[in-house]
Coordinates of all heavy atoms in Angstrom, one line a residue:
M1 N -30.2 35.9 -26.3 CA -30.8 35.6 -25.0 C -31.7 34.3 -25.1 O -31.9 33.8 -24.0 CB -31.8 36.8 -24.6 CG -31.0 37.9 -24.1 SD -30.9 37.6 -22.4 CE -30.2 39.0 -21.8
A2 N -32.0 33.9 -26.2 CA -32.8 32.7 -26.3 C -32.1 31.5 -25.8 O -32.6 30.5 -25.3 CB -33.3 32.4 -27.8
D3 N -30.7 31.4 -26.0 CA -29.9 30.3 -25.5 C -29.8 30.2 -24.0 O -29.7 29.2 -23.4 CB -28.5 30.4 -26.1 CG -28.5 30.3 -27.6 OD1 -29.4 29.6 -28.1 OD2 -27.6 30.8 -28.2
S4 N -29.9 31.4 -23.3 CA -29.8 31.4 -21.8 C -31.0 30.7 -21.2 O -30.9 30.3 -20.0 CB -29.6 32.8 -21.3 OG -30.7 33.6 -21.6
R5 N -32.1 30.7 -21.8 CA -33.3 30.0 -21.2 C -33.2 28.5 -21.1 O -33.7 27.9 -20.3 CB -34.6 30.4 -21.9 CG -35.0 31.9 -21.6 CD -36.3 32.2 -22.3 NE -36.0 32.5 -23.7 CZ -36.9 32.5 -24.7 NH1 -38.1 32.2 -24.4 NH2 -36.5 32.7 -25.9
N6 N -32.4 27.9 -22.0 CA -32.3 26.4 -22.1 C -31.2 25.9 -21.0 O -31.2 24.8 -20.7 CB -31.9 26.0 -23.5 CG -33.0 26.3 -24.5 OD1 -34.1 26.3 -24.1 ND2 -32.6 26.4 -25.7
W7 N -30.4 26.8 -20.5 CA -29.4 26.4 -19.6 C -30.0 26.1 -18.2 O -30.7 26.9 -17.7 CB -28.3 27.5 -19.5 CG -27.2 27.1 -18.6 CD1 -26.3 26.2 -18.8 CD2 -26.9 27.8 -17.4 NE1 -25.4 26.2 -17.7 CE2 -25.8 27.1 -16.8 CE3 -27.5 28.8 -16.6 CZ2 -25.2 27.5 -15.6 CZ3 -26.9 29.1 -15.4 CH2 -25.8 28.5 -14.9
N8 N -29.6 25.0 -17.7 CA -30.1 24.6 -16.3 C -28.9 24.4 -15.4 O -28.2 23.4 -15.6 CB -31.0 23.4 -16.5 CG -31.7 23.0 -15.2 OD1 -31.5 23.7 -14.1 ND2 -32.6 22.0 -15.2
P9 N -28.7 25.2 -14.4 CA -27.5 25.1 -13.6 C -27.5 23.8 -12.7 O -26.5 23.3 -12.3 CB -27.5 26.3 -12.8 CG -28.9 26.9 -12.8 CD -29.5 26.4 -14.1
T10 N -28.7 23.3 -12.4 CA -28.7 22.1 -11.6 C -28.2 20.8 -12.3 O -27.7 19.9 -11.7 CB -30.2 21.8 -11.1 OG1 -31.0 21.7 -12.2 CG2 -30.7 22.9 -10.2
D11 N -28.3 20.8 -13.6 CA -27.8 19.7 -14.4 C -26.3 19.6 -14.3 O -25.7 18.5 -14.1 CB -28.2 19.8 -15.9 CG -29.7 19.5 -16.1 OD1 -30.3 19.0 -15.1 OD2 -30.2 19.9 -17.1
E12 N -25.6 20.7 -14.3 CA -24.1 20.7 -14.2 C -23.6 20.3 -12.9 O -22.7 19.6 -12.7 CB -23.5 22.0 -14.6 CG -23.6 22.3 -16.1 CD -22.9 23.6 -16.5 OE1 -22.2 24.1 -15.6 OE2 -23.1 24.0 -17.6
G13 N -24.3 20.7 -11.8 CA -23.9 20.3 -10.5 C -24.0 18.8 -10.2 O -23.2 18.3 -9.5
E14 N -25.0 18.2 -10.8 CA -25.2 16.7 -10.6 C -24.0 16.0 -11.3 O -23.5 15.0 -10.7 CB -26.5 16.3 -11.1 CG -27.7 16.7 -10.3 CD -29.0 16.3 -10.9 OE1 -29.0 15.6 -11.9 OE2 -30.0 16.8 -10.5
E15 N -23.6 16.4 -12.4 CA -22.5 15.7 -13.1 C -21.2 15.9 -12.3 O -20.5 14.9 -12.2 CB -22.3 16.3 -14.5 CG -23.5 16.0 -15.5 CD -23.3 16.6 -16.8 OE1 -22.2 17.1 -17.1 OE2 -24.3 16.6 -17.6
E16 N -20.9 17.0 -11.8 CA -19.7 17.2 -11.0 C -19.7 16.3 -9.7 O -18.7 15.7 -9.4 CB -19.5 18.6 -10.6 CG -19.2 19.5 -11.8 CD -19.1 21.0 -11.3 OE1 -19.1 21.3 -10.1 OE2 -19.0 21.9 -12.2
E17 N -20.8 16.2 -9.1 CA -20.9 15.3 -7.9 C -20.7 13.8 -8.3 O -20.0 13.1 -7.5 CB -22.3 15.5 -7.2 CG -22.5 16.8 -6.5 CD -23.8 16.9 -5.9 OE1 -24.5 15.9 -5.8 OE2 -24.2 18.1 -5.6
E18 N -21.2 13.4 -9.4 CA -21.0 12.0 -9.8 C -19.5 11.7 -10.1 O -19.0 10.7 -9.7 CB -21.8 11.7 -11.1 CG -23.3 11.6 -10.8 CD -24.1 11.4 -12.1 OE1 -23.5 11.1 -13.1 OE2 -25.3 11.5 -12.0
E19 N -18.8 12.7 -10.7 CA -17.4 12.5 -10.9 C -16.6 12.4 -9.6 O -15.7 11.6 -9.5 CB -16.9 13.6 -11.8 CG -17.4 13.6 -13.2 CD -16.9 14.8 -14.0 OE1 -16.0 15.5 -13.6 OE2 -17.5 15.0 -15.1
E20 N -16.9 13.2 -8.7 CA -16.2 13.2 -7.4 C -16.4 11.9 -6.7 O -15.5 11.3 -6.1 CB -16.7 14.3 -6.5 CG -16.2 15.7 -7.0 CD -16.8 16.8 -6.2 OE1 -17.4 16.6 -5.1 OE2 -16.7 18.0 -6.6
L21 N -17.6 11.3 -6.7 CA -17.9 10.0 -6.1 C -17.1 8.9 -6.7 O -16.5 8.1 -6.0 CB -19.4 9.7 -6.2 CG -20.3 10.6 -5.4 CD1 -21.8 10.2 -5.6 CD2 -20.0 10.5 -3.9
D22 N -16.9 9.0 -8.0 CA -16.1 7.9 -8.7 C -14.6 8.0 -8.3 O -14.0 7.0 -8.1 CB -16.2 8.1 -10.2 CG -17.6 7.7 -10.7 OD1 -18.3 7.0 -10.0 OD2 -17.9 8.2 -11.8
E23 N -14.1 9.2 -8.1 CA -12.7 9.4 -7.7 C -12.5 8.9 -6.3 O -11.5 8.2 -6.0 CB -12.3 10.8 -7.8 CG -12.2 11.3 -9.2 CD -11.9 12.8 -9.3 OE1 -11.6 13.4 -8.2 OE2 -11.9 13.4 -10.4
T24 N -13.4 9.1 -5.4 CA -13.2 8.7 -4.0 C -13.3 7.1 -3.9 O -12.6 6.5 -3.1 CB -14.2 9.3 -3.0 OG1 -15.6 9.0 -3.5 CG2 -14.0 10.8 -2.9
A25 N -14.1 6.5 -4.7 CA -14.2 5.1 -4.7 C -12.9 4.5 -5.2 O -12.5 3.4 -4.7 CB -15.4 4.6 -5.5
Y26 N -12.3 5.1 -6.1 CA -11.0 4.6 -6.7 C -9.9 4.8 -5.7 O -9.1 3.9 -5.5 CB -10.7 5.4 -8.0 CG -9.4 5.0 -8.6 CD1 -9.2 3.8 -9.2 CD2 -8.3 5.8 -8.4 CE1 -8.0 3.4 -9.7 CE2 -7.0 5.4 -9.0 CZ -6.9 4.2 -9.6 OH -5.7 3.9 -10.1
K27 N -9.9 5.9 -4.9 CA -8.8 6.1 -4.0 C -8.9 5.2 -2.8 O -7.9 4.9 -2.2 CB -8.8 7.6 -3.5 CG -8.4 8.5 -4.6 CD -8.5 9.9 -4.1 CE -8.2 10.9 -5.2 NZ -8.3 12.3 -4.8
S28 N -10.0 4.7 -2.4 CA -10.1 3.8 -1.2 C -10.0 2.3 -1.5 O -10.1 1.5 -0.7 CB -11.5 4.1 -0.6 OG -12.5 3.6 -1.5
A29 N -9.6 2.0 -2.8 CA -9.4 0.6 -3.1 C -8.2 0.0 -2.4 O -7.2 0.7 -2.3 CB -9.3 0.4 -4.6
K30 N -8.2 -1.2 -2.0 CA -7.1 -1.9 -1.4 C -6.6 -3.0 -2.3 O -7.4 -3.6 -3.0 CB -7.5 -2.5 0.0 CG -7.6 -1.6 1.1 CD -7.8 -2.3 2.4 CE -7.8 -1.4 3.6 NZ -8.0 -2.2 4.8
D31 N -5.3 -3.3 -2.2 CA -4.8 -4.4 -2.9 C -4.3 -5.5 -1.9 O -4.0 -5.1 -0.7 CB -3.5 -4.0 -3.7 CG -3.9 -3.3 -5.0 OD1 -5.1 -3.5 -5.5 OD2 -3.1 -2.5 -5.5
A32 N -4.2 -6.7 -2.3 CA -3.7 -7.8 -1.4 C -2.7 -8.6 -2.2 O -2.9 -8.9 -3.3 CB -4.9 -8.7 -0.9
V33 N -1.6 -8.8 -1.6 CA -0.5 -9.5 -2.2 C -0.1 -10.7 -1.2 O 0.1 -10.5 -0.1 CB 0.8 -8.6 -2.4 CG1 1.9 -9.4 -3.0 CG2 0.5 -7.4 -3.3
L34 N -0.1 -11.9 -1.8 CA 0.3 -13.1 -1.0 C 1.4 -13.8 -1.8 O 1.2 -14.2 -2.9 CB -0.9 -14.0 -0.9 CG -0.7 -15.3 -0.1 CD1 -0.3 -15.0 1.4 CD2 -1.9 -16.2 -0.2
F35 N 2.5 -13.9 -1.1 CA 3.7 -14.6 -1.7 C 3.5 -16.1 -1.2 O 3.6 -16.4 0.0 CB 5.0 -14.0 -1.2 CG 5.2 -12.6 -1.6 CD1 4.9 -11.6 -0.7 CD2 5.8 -12.3 -2.8 CE1 5.1 -10.3 -1.1 CE2 6.0 -11.0 -3.2 CZ 5.6 -10.0 -2.3
A36 N 3.4 -17.0 -2.2 CA 3.3 -18.4 -1.9 C 4.7 -19.0 -2.3 O 5.0 -19.1 -3.4 CB 2.2 -19.1 -2.7
I37 N 5.4 -19.4 -1.3 CA 6.8 -20.0 -1.5 C 6.8 -21.4 -1.1 O 6.5 -21.8 0.1 CB 7.8 -19.2 -0.7 CG1 7.8 -17.7 -1.1 CG2 9.2 -19.7 -0.9 CD1 8.6 -16.8 -0.2
E38 N 7.2 -22.3 -2.0 CA 7.3 -23.7 -1.7 C 8.6 -24.0 -1.0 O 9.6 -23.6 -1.5 CB 7.2 -24.5 -3.0 CG 7.3 -26.0 -2.8 CD 7.3 -26.8 -4.1 OE1 7.2 -26.2 -5.2 OE2 7.4 -28.0 -4.0
V39 N 8.5 -24.6 0.1 CA 9.7 -24.9 0.9 C 9.9 -26.4 0.8 O 9.6 -27.2 1.7 CB 9.6 -24.5 2.3 CG1 10.9 -24.7 3.1 CG2 9.2 -23.0 2.4
S40 N 10.5 -26.9 -0.3 CA 10.8 -28.3 -0.5 C 12.3 -28.5 -0.3 O 13.1 -27.6 0.0 CB 10.4 -28.7 -1.9 OG 11.2 -28.0 -2.9
A41 N 12.7 -29.7 -0.4 CA 14.1 -30.1 -0.2 C 15.0 -29.4 -1.2 O 16.1 -28.9 -0.8 CB 14.3 -31.6 -0.3
S42 N 14.6 -29.2 -2.4 CA 15.4 -28.6 -3.4 C 15.5 -27.1 -3.2 O 16.5 -26.4 -3.5 CB 14.8 -28.8 -4.8 OG 13.6 -28.2 -4.9
M43 N 14.5 -26.5 -2.5 CA 14.6 -25.1 -2.2 C 15.5 -24.8 -1.0 O 15.9 -23.6 -0.8 CB 13.1 -24.5 -1.9 CG 12.2 -24.4 -3.1 SD 12.7 -23.1 -4.2 CE 12.1 -21.7 -3.3
L44 N 15.8 -25.8 -0.2 CA 16.6 -25.6 1.0 C 18.1 -26.0 0.7 O 18.9 -25.7 1.6 CB 16.0 -26.4 2.1 CG 14.6 -26.0 2.6 CD1 14.1 -27.0 3.6 CD2 14.6 -24.6 3.1
T45 N 18.4 -26.5 -0.4 CA 19.8 -26.9 -0.7 C 20.5 -25.7 -1.2 O 20.1 -25.0 -2.1 CB 19.9 -28.1 -1.7 OG1 19.2 -27.7 -2.9 CG2 19.3 -29.3 -1.2
P46 N 21.7 -25.4 -0.7 CA 22.5 -24.3 -1.2 C 23.0 -24.5 -2.6 O 23.2 -25.7 -3.0 CB 23.7 -24.2 -0.2 CG 23.7 -25.5 0.5 CD 22.4 -26.1 0.4
P47 N 23.3 -23.5 -3.3 CA 23.8 -23.7 -4.7 C 25.2 -24.2 -4.6 O 25.9 -24.0 -3.6 CB 23.7 -22.3 -5.3 CG 23.7 -21.3 -4.1 CD 23.1 -22.1 -3.0
P48 N 25.7 -24.8 -5.7 CA 27.1 -25.3 -5.8 C 28.0 -24.1 -5.7 O 27.8 -23.0 -6.1 CB 27.2 -26.0 -7.1 CG 26.0 -25.6 -7.9 CD 25.0 -25.1 -7.0
T49 N 29.2 -24.4 -5.1 CA 30.2 -23.3 -4.9 C 30.7 -23.0 -6.3 O 30.8 -23.8 -7.2 CB 31.3 -23.8 -4.0 OG1 31.9 -25.0 -4.6 CG2 30.8 -24.1 -2.6
S50 N 31.1 -21.7 -6.4 CA 31.6 -21.2 -7.6 C 32.7 -20.2 -7.3 O 32.8 -19.5 -6.3 CB 30.5 -20.5 -8.4 OG 31.0 -19.9 -9.6
D51 N 33.7 -20.0 -8.3 CA 34.7 -19.0 -8.1 C 34.3 -17.6 -8.5 O 35.0 -16.6 -8.2 CB 35.9 -19.4 -9.0 CG 36.6 -20.7 -8.6 OD1 36.5 -21.0 -7.4 OD2 37.2 -21.4 -9.4
S52 N 33.1 -17.5 -9.1 CA 32.6 -16.1 -9.5 C 32.3 -15.3 -8.3 O 31.7 -15.8 -7.3 CB 31.4 -16.3 -10.4 OG 30.9 -15.1 -10.7
K53 N 32.6 -14.0 -8.3 CA 32.2 -13.1 -7.2 C 30.7 -12.9 -7.2 O 30.1 -12.5 -6.2 CB 32.9 -11.8 -7.4 CG 34.4 -11.9 -7.2 CD 35.1 -10.6 -7.3 CE 36.6 -10.7 -7.0 NZ 37.3 -9.4 -7.1
K54 N 30.0 -13.0 -8.3 CA 28.6 -12.8 -8.4 C 27.7 -14.0 -8.2 O 26.5 -14.0 -8.3 CB 28.2 -12.2 -9.8 CG 28.8 -10.8 -10.1 CD 28.4 -10.3 -11.4 CE 29.0 -9.0 -11.7 NZ 28.6 -8.4 -13.0
A55 N 28.4 -15.1 -7.8 CA 27.6 -16.3 -7.6 C 26.7 -16.2 -6.4 O 27.0 -15.5 -5.4 CB 28.6 -17.5 -7.3
D56 N 25.6 -16.9 -6.4 CA 24.6 -16.9 -5.3 C 25.1 -17.7 -4.2 O 25.6 -18.9 -4.4 CB 23.2 -17.4 -5.8 CG 22.6 -16.4 -6.8 OD1 22.9 -15.2 -6.7 OD2 21.8 -16.9 -7.6
T57 N 25.0 -17.3 -3.0 CA 25.4 -18.0 -1.8 C 24.2 -18.4 -1.0 O 24.3 -19.3 -0.1 CB 26.4 -17.3 -0.9 OG1 25.8 -16.0 -0.6 CG2 27.7 -17.0 -1.7
D58 N 23.0 -17.9 -1.3 CA 21.8 -18.1 -0.5 C 21.1 -19.4 -1.1 O 21.2 -19.6 -2.3 CB 20.8 -17.0 -0.6 CG 21.4 -15.7 0.1 OD1 22.2 -15.9 1.0 OD2 21.0 -14.6 -0.2
T59 N 20.3 -20.0 -0.3 CA 19.4 -21.1 -0.8 C 18.3 -20.4 -1.6 O 18.0 -19.2 -1.4 CB 18.8 -21.9 0.4 OG1 18.0 -21.0 1.2 CG2 19.9 -22.5 1.2
P60 N 17.7 -21.1 -2.5 CA 16.5 -20.6 -3.2 C 15.4 -20.1 -2.3 O 14.8 -19.0 -2.6 CB 16.1 -21.7 -4.1 CG 17.3 -22.6 -4.3 CD 18.0 -22.5 -3.0
A61 N 15.2 -20.8 -1.2 CA 14.1 -20.3 -0.3 C 14.5 -19.0 0.4 O 13.6 -18.1 0.5 CB 13.9 -21.4 0.8
S62 N 15.7 -18.9 0.7 CA 16.2 -17.6 1.3 C 16.1 -16.5 0.3 O 15.8 -15.3 0.7 CB 17.6 -17.8 1.9 OG 18.1 -16.6 2.4
A63 N 16.5 -16.7 -0.9 CA 16.4 -15.7 -2.0 C 15.0 -15.3 -2.2 O 14.7 -14.1 -2.4 CB 17.1 -16.2 -3.2
A64 N 14.1 -16.2 -2.2 CA 12.7 -15.9 -2.4 C 12.1 -15.0 -1.2 O 11.4 -14.1 -1.4 CB 11.8 -17.2 -2.5
L65 N 12.5 -15.4 0.0 CA 12.1 -14.6 1.2 C 12.7 -13.2 1.1 O 12.0 -12.2 1.5 CB 12.5 -15.3 2.5 CG 11.7 -16.5 2.8 CD1 12.3 -17.2 4.0 CD2 10.3 -16.1 3.2
K66 N 13.9 -13.0 0.7 CA 14.6 -11.7 0.5 C 13.8 -10.9 -0.5 O 13.6 -9.7 -0.3 CB 16.0 -11.8 0.2 CG 16.9 -12.3 1.4 CD 18.4 -12.4 1.0 CE 19.2 -12.8 2.2 NZ 20.6 -12.9 1.8
C67 N 13.5 -11.5 -1.6 CA 12.7 -10.8 -2.7 C 11.4 -10.3 -2.1 O 10.9 -9.2 -2.4 CB 12.6 -11.6 -3.9 SG 14.1 -11.9 -4.8
A68 N 10.7 -11.2 -1.5 CA 9.4 -10.9 -0.9 C 9.5 -9.7 0.1 O 8.7 -8.8 0.1 CB 8.7 -12.1 -0.3
Y69 N 10.5 -9.8 0.9 CA 10.8 -8.7 2.0 C 11.0 -7.4 1.3 O 10.5 -6.4 1.7 CB 11.9 -9.2 2.8 CG 12.3 -8.2 3.9 CD1 11.5 -8.0 5.0 CD2 13.4 -7.4 3.8 CE1 11.8 -7.1 6.0 CE2 13.7 -6.5 4.8 CZ 12.9 -6.3 5.9 OH 13.2 -5.4 6.9
A70 N 11.8 -7.4 0.3 CA 12.2 -6.1 -0.4 C 10.9 -5.5 -1.1 O 10.7 -4.3 -1.0 CB 13.2 -6.3 -1.5
L71 N 10.1 -6.4 -1.7 CA 8.9 -5.9 -2.3 C 7.9 -5.4 -1.3 O 7.2 -4.4 -1.5 CB 8.2 -6.9 -3.2 CG 7.0 -6.5 -4.0 CD1 7.4 -5.4 -5.0 CD2 6.3 -7.6 -4.7
M72 N 7.8 -6.1 -0.1 CA 6.9 -5.7 0.9 C 7.3 -4.3 1.5 O 6.5 -3.5 1.8 CB 6.8 -6.7 2.0 CG 6.1 -8.0 1.6 SD 6.2 -9.3 2.8 CE 4.9 -8.8 3.9
Q73 N 8.6 -4.0 1.6 CA 9.1 -2.7 2.1 C 8.7 -1.6 1.1 O 8.2 -0.6 1.6 CB 10.6 -2.7 2.2 CG 11.1 -3.5 3.5 CD 12.6 -3.4 3.6 OE1 13.3 -3.4 2.6 NE2 13.1 -3.3 4.8
Q74 N 8.8 -1.9 -0.2 CA 8.4 -0.9 -1.1 C 6.9 -0.6 -1.1 O 6.4 0.5 -1.2 CB 8.8 -1.3 -2.5 CG 10.3 -1.3 -2.8 CD 10.6 -1.9 -4.1 OE1 9.7 -2.3 -4.9 NE2 11.9 -2.0 -4.4
R75 N 6.1 -1.7 -1.0 CA 4.6 -1.5 -1.0 C 4.1 -0.8 0.3 O 3.2 -0.1 0.2 CB 4.0 -2.9 -1.1 CG 4.3 -3.7 -2.4 CD 3.5 -3.1 -3.5 NE 2.1 -3.2 -3.3 CZ 1.1 -3.5 -4.1 NH1 1.5 -3.9 -5.3 NH2 -0.1 -3.5 -3.8
I76 N 4.8 -1.1 1.4 CA 4.4 -0.5 2.7 C 4.5 1.1 2.6 O 3.7 1.8 3.1 CB 5.1 -1.0 3.9 CG1 4.6 -2.4 4.2 CG2 5.0 -0.1 5.1 CD1 5.5 -3.2 5.2
I77 N 5.6 1.5 2.0 CA 5.8 2.9 1.8 C 4.8 3.6 0.9 O 4.3 4.6 1.2 CB 7.3 3.2 1.4 CG1 8.2 2.8 2.5 CG2 7.5 4.7 1.0 CD1 9.7 2.7 2.1
S78 N 4.6 2.9 -0.3 CA 3.7 3.6 -1.3 C 2.3 3.3 -1.0 O 1.4 4.2 -1.3 CB 4.1 3.0 -2.7 OG 3.9 1.6 -2.7
N79 N 1.9 2.2 -0.4 CA 0.5 1.9 -0.2 C 0.3 1.3 1.2 O 0.2 0.0 1.4 CB -0.1 0.9 -1.2 CG 0.1 1.4 -2.6 OD1 -0.1 2.6 -2.9 ND2 0.4 0.5 -3.5
P80 N 0.3 2.1 2.3 CA 0.3 1.5 3.6 C -1.0 0.8 4.0 O -1.0 0.0 5.0 CB 0.5 2.7 4.5 CG 0.1 3.9 3.7 CD 0.4 3.5 2.3
N81 N -2.1 1.0 3.3 CA -3.3 0.3 3.6 C -3.5 -1.1 2.9 O -4.4 -1.8 3.2 CB -4.5 1.2 3.3 CG -4.5 2.4 4.1 OD1 -4.1 2.4 5.3 ND2 -5.0 3.5 3.6
D82 N -2.6 -1.4 2.1 CA -2.7 -2.7 1.4 C -2.4 -3.8 2.3 O -1.7 -3.7 3.3 CB -1.7 -2.8 0.2 CG -2.1 -1.9 -1.0 OD1 -3.2 -1.3 -0.9 OD2 -1.4 -1.8 -1.9
M83 N -2.9 -5.0 2.0 CA -2.6 -6.2 2.8 C -1.6 -7.1 2.1 O -1.6 -7.2 0.9 CB -3.9 -7.0 3.0 CG -5.0 -6.2 3.7 SD -6.5 -7.1 3.8 CE -7.1 -7.1 2.1
M84 N -0.6 -7.6 2.9 CA 0.5 -8.4 2.4 C 0.7 -9.6 3.3 O 0.5 -9.5 4.5 CB 1.7 -7.6 2.3 CG 1.6 -6.5 1.2 SD 3.1 -5.4 1.2 CE 2.6 -4.3 2.5
G85 N 1.2 -10.7 2.7 CA 1.5 -11.8 3.5 C 2.4 -12.8 2.8 O 2.6 -12.7 1.6
I86 N 3.0 -13.7 3.5 CA 3.8 -14.8 3.0 C 3.3 -16.1 3.4 O 3.0 -16.3 4.6 CB 5.3 -14.6 3.5 CG1 5.8 -13.3 3.0 CG2 6.1 -15.8 3.0 CD1 7.3 -13.0 3.4
L87 N 3.1 -17.0 2.5 CA 2.6 -18.4 2.7 C 3.7 -19.3 2.4 O 4.2 -19.4 1.3 CB 1.3 -18.7 1.9 CG 0.9 -20.1 1.9 CD1 0.3 -20.5 3.3 CD2 -0.2 -20.3 0.8
L88 N 4.2 -20.1 3.4 CA 5.2 -21.1 3.2 C 4.5 -22.5 3.1 O 3.8 -22.8 4.1 CB 6.3 -21.1 4.3 CG 7.0 -19.7 4.4 CD1 7.9 -19.8 5.6 CD2 7.7 -19.3 3.2
F89 N 4.7 -23.2 2.1 CA 4.1 -24.5 2.0 C 5.1 -25.6 1.5 O 6.1 -25.3 1.0 CB 2.8 -24.5 1.1 CG 3.1 -24.3 -0.3 CD1 3.2 -25.3 -1.2 CD2 3.3 -23.0 -0.8 CE1 3.4 -25.1 -2.6 CE2 3.5 -22.7 -2.1 CZ 3.6 -23.8 -3.0

């Protein structure tokens, strides 16, 4: 019975509340993704023709935009509150 006098139930309640606050702060965090794509003359020229079936037919700028679009679709589904954008320079 001597051990039961040292136990203070208010101490445990405070620790649990602190843990819950930390979790809610983590869940409300937002991410921001910005795709910066350089649109120069070399990015707009199509690749040379090839006999291979796997050869790229898109310009590098178009391929970069398609990649950004695909990633943005995935991110919207998994994290709808995140901010995303494309910067063309």
Side-chain angles (χ1 to χ4, degrees):
M1 284 273 184
D3 293 335
S4 64
R5 285 185 280 162
N6 294 335
W7 180 69
N8 188 354
T10 57
D11 290 342
E12 286 186 13
E14 289 176 11
E15 289 178 13
E16 289 178 11
E17 289 177 16
E18 289 176 10
E19 290 176 11
E20 290 175 10
L21 292 176
D22 291 339
E23 290 175 8
T24 56
Y26 176 74
K27 290 179 183 178
S28 66
K30 282 188 177 181
D31 286 334
V33 178
L34 179 65
F35 298 95
I37 301 172
E38 180 183 1
V39 185
S40 61
S42 64
M43 289 287 285
L44 297 174
T45 57
T49 56
S50 175
D51 294 335
S52 175
K53 291 181 180 180
K54 295 182 180 180
D56 293 332
T57 57
D58 295 333
T59 63
S62 177
L65 286 171
K66 286 180 181 180
C67 289
Y69 180 74
L71 185 66
M72 289 174 82
Q73 283 182 323
Q74 292 173 358
R75 297 282 304 220
I76 286 173
I77 293 169
S78 63
N79 301 323
N81 294 328
D82 287 356
M83 297 178 287
M84 293 175 274
I86 297 177
L87 171 70
L88 303 174
F89 66 98

